[in-house]
Amino acid sequence: MKILISILLIVLMSACTQSRQKFENVEKGMSMQEVSLNAGEPSEKKNLGNIELWVYKDADRTVVFRHDSVFTIITSAEARADSIEMIVNKAGNDLKKGVIKAGDKLDSLGGNLIEQFSEDSIERNR
């Protein structure tokens, strides 16, 4: 049983090492086809307009393409951190827009109230 577990551990460690070694030849500026030839097909692809992400889960790498060429290669942990940062920034921008809208509505309401009170006081003075 110990021998079987040892063999399984060696195979798993070897697979992880081989997956990461695939990226030794992947560089910035390579085309999608060149990356596919060197690193194989990704486990997941995400198209974000001008940017495409190829996720290689086994190698813990994400290849970021811009206009069909490698822009950068990051670890999946970095990709998650970037995603979290983008989400937080978007939420902050959405909140800012919401606060500005609310402020504009309050200004408008305040202006309407002042106008209405002014009209009421003019009618009372007649």
Side-chain angles (χ1 to χ4, degrees):
M1 184 68 170
K2 288 182 181 180
I3 294 173
L4 181 61
I5 292 173
S6 297
I7 291 172
L8 284 173
L9 285 175
I10 290 169
V11 168
L12 286 173
M13 289 172 57
S14 172
C16 289
T17 302
Q18 287 174 351
S19 295
R20 290 187 180 159
Q21 285 176 346
K22 290 180 180 180
F23 282 89
E24 288 179 5
N25 297 325
V26 177
E27 300 173 350
K28 288 182 181 182
M30 282 186 158
S31 70
M32 290 178 173
Q33 184 178 9
E34 290 172 316
V35 172
S36 183
L37 289 172
N38 281 285
E41 284 299 310
S43 52
E44 186 178 341
K45 291 182 181 182
K46 297 178 185 177
N47 190 324
L48 306 171
N50 290 336
I51 296 173
E52 187 164 331
L53 305 177
W54 286 13
V55 180
Y56 291 87
K57 290 181 182 179
D58 292 343
D60 191 38
R61 297 287 184 273
T62 299
V63 180
V64 180
F65 292 94
R66 264 187 95 184
H67 307 292
D68 188 44
S69 64
V70 176
F71 178 71
T72 190
I73 303 166
I74 52 179
T75 66
S76 293
E78 289 171 326
R80 286 190 296 274
D82 288 348
S83 295
I84 291 168
E85 182 180 2
M86 285 176 22
I87 290 167
V88 168
N89 286 339
K90 184 182 180 324
N93 288 336
D94 289 348
L95 181 61
K96 183 179 177 181
K97 288 176 187 175
V99 168
I100 289 171
K101 274 186 178 178
D104 290 345
K105 285 183 181 180
L106 286 173
D107 282 346
S108 176
L109 179 63
N112 290 341
L113 287 172
I114 290 171
E115 188 177 308
Q116 186 175 359
F117 283 123
S118 295
E119 289 174 4
D120 287 348
S121 67
I122 290 172
E123 285 183 23
R124 275 190 246 144
N125 290 333
R126 288 187 187 176

